[in-house]
């Protein structure tokens, strides 16, 4: 019920039918299928988003024998990033908004919010792929915002949580997530560049003597 | 049978859509896999067995003496191309005319630009048999089926225009051009000008590869886009000159407007900076179609002054080949731009 509502309706529709959202959220969280649906969604989104990023490994000239291991750690990093979101929202909810939902509940909601990334493999598409992946992340952020709003954070609270969440993710990349990046580099056998433009800047044509 | 097919038409459309999605998703793999060294790596290796100066100009062949060419012209086929050797009849006609009109130039027509390894569709591929069948059907008049070739090549044009994959694809295309120049006896330390003529989608491949060539060759490198579908390639301002030939009746070259860097509004795009610097210019030919009868390459359609469309195109290209390039300072290298 909830995923259909979140994915098949536009943001204005979600806002105009805002009263319907809260009971849907509660229904989904309480149902036994909520947890299973979240796990399936998490697996699919991780797989898809990782596949979407896989060509970056080719750009880094990762050898075939190291490709899958490197891709695996890329997926683990994605899951860990979601985990950081879950912990952040839980901590801020408890500390400032008196929203005590428990990690399981928040995990289900965060995973449901990032469900658009099930289509993350479309990021591979030439030319429009990078635009699609940005739109998918934007859609995920919008859904997360709506969900936080419905959970009792309010508009300002939801915005603050998201802003803070992004900040924590950025800090997390150089702290708690850094070992995962290190592991991915180890698996790849080289220091991976995370941006295509950094690799492209170093490309020059070499004439054979 | 027909009602059954009509009732299930939506499944057919869905199947086509899924097929297109799969083709588009797999499109960057050839170039990226080549760059990663996973496949096709030997294809661009220097060819030691190649003749040092393979004569391609009939007049020079007849003379029997390897007179050095005073201009090298690389022709990149449009998205209808499917083999290494240009095989689209109207394009073959243009190449023949160029060789006749410019006997001192060496015209290279052995590049399939939609593959980083110069690997045509009909040989050495998993689906080569299918592509051979499609090509045969196309040549016997089944244009709708032949459109599969155009679609496949169009996806590679998009790979070349992609800001993530484009540089890798273009690097491969530049290496293919280097290899063919090597086979044609080009002096890489000399000053013989190099002109790349890109027709239709070949125009994008030309502006993608040319900056890498311009960077390493002491000779001037220019691109002539014949109804090219050109994006605002970041390094386009490293090419000494880009001339875009277009027409009001050429609807295909207008597709380039899907690239935001081509919009006038994108004031700082590489394309617009090139235009302002005079490095990128355009020549308008009225009432010419993109391909087929009435196109730039049609030898039968006539202009009011009695010349054929092909005559006009050859004259414009000839004028450009004879016009010396004005030196324009290069844009700062991409790395420095990124740093800033």
């Amino acid at each position: 019920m909830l995923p259909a509502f979140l994915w098949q309706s536009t943001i204005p529709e979600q806002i105009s039918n805002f009263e319907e959202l809260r009971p849907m959220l509660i229904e989904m969280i309480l149902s036994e299928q909520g947890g299973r649906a979240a796990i399936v969604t998490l697996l699919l989104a991780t797989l898809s988003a990782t596949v979407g990023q896989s060509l970056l490994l080719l750009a880094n000239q990762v050898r075939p024998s190291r490709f899958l291991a490197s891709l695996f750690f890329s997926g683990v990093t994605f899951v860990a990033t979601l985990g950081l979101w879950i912990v952040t929202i839980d901590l801020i909810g408890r500390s400032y908004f008196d929203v005590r939902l428990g990690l399981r509940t928040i995990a289900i909601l965060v995973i449901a919010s990032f469900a658009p990334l099930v289509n993350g493999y479309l990021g591979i598409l030439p030319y429009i792929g990078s635009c699609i992946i940005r739109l998918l992340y934007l859609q995920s952020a919008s859904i997360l915002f709506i969900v936080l709003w419905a959970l009792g954070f309010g508009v300002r609270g939801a915005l603050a949580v998201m802003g803070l969440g992004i900040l924590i993710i950025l800090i997390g990349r150089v702290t708690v997530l850094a070992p995962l990046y290190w592991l991915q580099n180890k698996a790849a056998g080289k220091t991976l560049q995370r941006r295509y433009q950094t690799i492209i800047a170093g490309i020059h044509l070499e004439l054979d003597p | 049978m027909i009602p059954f097919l009509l009732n299930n038409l939506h499944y057919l459309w869905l199947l086509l859509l899924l097929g297109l999605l799969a083709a588009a998703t797999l499109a960057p793999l050839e170039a990226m896999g080549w760059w990663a060294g996973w496949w096709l790596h030997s294809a661009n290796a220097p060819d030691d067995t190649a003749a040092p100066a393979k004569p391609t100009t009939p007049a020079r062949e007849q003379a029997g003496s390897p007179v050095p060419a005073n201009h090298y012209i690389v022709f990149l086929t449009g998205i209808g191309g499917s083999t290494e050797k240009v095989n689209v009849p109207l394009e073959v006609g243009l190449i023949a005319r160029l060789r006749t009109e410019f006997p001192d130039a060496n015209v290279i027509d052995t590049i399939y630009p939609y593959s980083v390894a110069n690997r045509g569709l009909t040989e050495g591929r998993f689906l080569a048999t299918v592509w051979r069948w499609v090509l045969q059907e196309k040549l016997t008049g089944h244009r709708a089926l032949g459109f599969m070739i155009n679609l496949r090549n169009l996806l590679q044009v998009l790979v070349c225009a992609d800001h993530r994959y484009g540089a890798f694809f273009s690097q491969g295309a530049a290496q293919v051009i280097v290899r063919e120049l090597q086979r044609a006896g080009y002096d890489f330390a000399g000053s013989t000008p190099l002109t790349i003529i890109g027709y239709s989608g070949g125009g994008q491949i030309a502006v993608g590869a040319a900056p890498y060539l311009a960077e390493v060759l002491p000779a001037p490198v220019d691109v002539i886009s014949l109804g090219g579908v050109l994006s605002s390639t970041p390094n386009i301002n490293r090419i000494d000159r880009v001339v875009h030939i277009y027409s009001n009746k050429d609807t295909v070259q207008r597709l380039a407007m899907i690239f935001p860097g081509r919009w006038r509004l994108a004031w700082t795009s590489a394309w617009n900076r090139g235009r302002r610097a005079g490095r990128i210019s355009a020549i308008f030919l009225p009432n010419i179609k993109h391909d087929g009868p009435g196109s730039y390459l049609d030898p039968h359609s006539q202009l009011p002054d009695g010349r054929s469309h092909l005559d006009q195109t050859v004259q414009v290209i000839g004028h450009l080949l004879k016009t010396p390039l004005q030196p324009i300072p290069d844009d700062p290298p991409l790395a420095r731009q990124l740093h800033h």
Side-chain angles (χ1 to χ4, degrees), chain A residues 3 59 79 106-107 115 121 133 166-167 174 181 193 208:
Chain A
V79 174
I106 292 174
Y121 70 94
I133 204 83
I166 291 169
L167 189 69
V174 290
Y181 289 121
Q193 299 293 340
D208 293 304

Side-chain angles (χ1 to χ4, degrees), chain A residues 77-97:
Chain A
T77 311
F78 176 81
V79 174
T81 308
L82 286 190
L84 211 54
W85 267 111
I86 292 163
V87 173
T88 303
I89 292 169
D90 185 47
L91 284 178
I92 297 172
R94 281 168 192 272
S95 310
Y96 296 101
F97 296 93

